[in-house]
Amino acid sequence: MSKSGIPAAPLALTLSGVLPFAASAGVMWAALDNPVLQAQSGLTLLVYAAVILSFLGGLRWGAEIVGRGEEGPRAGVLALSVLGSLAGWALVIYGVLGALNWQVYSAAAAAYLVHGLWDTGAAAIPPWMRRLRAIGTFGAVVSLLAGGAVYL
């Protein structure tokens, strides 16, 4: 257990998971004079964001199924848990079609923020997981906004 009360393995894995966000945004800034590399890194950032949004939705889906016992999962929570995956997919398609701009990264950051607020406010999630999600959300949102700022 770390000083934050977050188990060491999930904390290390979450921090590791933030690295591709930061690295992709960093390459976008480093490649200001290379629009092809910048776009490739920008698309990489969007694809990774979509993958992790899908992962987070899967966590919520699983928590809903396991946590509800005999009552069974609530359809509304299951439906909400797939919205991040769908949003991520739509943003990747938008980027692939050539719309790499500050708006697509802002929309991805907003999706992360909404999902993070949903997770950190969930009573069914242990307090250490809420803190962990806040860390991951912060890293993703800052990186996505930094990537989008390249296009301002």
Side-chain angles (χ1 to χ4, degrees):
M1 192 77 64
S2 70
K3 290 180 183 177
S4 66
I6 300 170
L11 179 59
L13 292 167
T14 295
L15 294 175
S16 306
V18 170
L19 288 176
F21 282 106
S24 295
V27 171
M28 289 173 73
W29 277 97
L32 289 176
D33 60 344
N34 185 340
V36 172
L37 179 58
Q38 186 179 63
Q40 289 171 333
S41 188
L43 192 53
T44 299
L45 178 57
L46 283 179
V47 169
Y48 186 68
V51 167
I52 301 303
L53 277 171
S54 294
F55 172 78
L56 295 172
L59 286 176
R60 288 307 297 259
W61 181 287
E64 180 66 16
I65 290 172
V66 171
R68 298 291 294 173
E70 292 299 317
E71 296 174 40
R74 296 168 291 189
V77 174
L78 294 178
L80 286 173
S81 72
V82 301
L83 289 181
S85 300
L86 295 173
W89 174 79
L91 292 168
V92 168
I93 296 300
Y94 191 66
V96 166
L97 294 177
L100 291 175
N101 53 41
W102 67 268
Q103 293 97 328
V104 74
Y105 295 98
S106 296
Y112 266 89
L113 188 58
V114 167
H115 208 298
L117 290 172
W118 183 35
D119 287 346
T120 57
I125 294 175
W128 67 264
M129 181 62 175
R130 288 188 218 127
R131 290 190 298 279
L132 186 68
R133 284 292 295 116
I135 292 167
T137 297
F138 179 80
V141 168
V142 167
S143 297
L144 287 162
L145 292 176
V150 166
Y151 296 106
L152 289 177

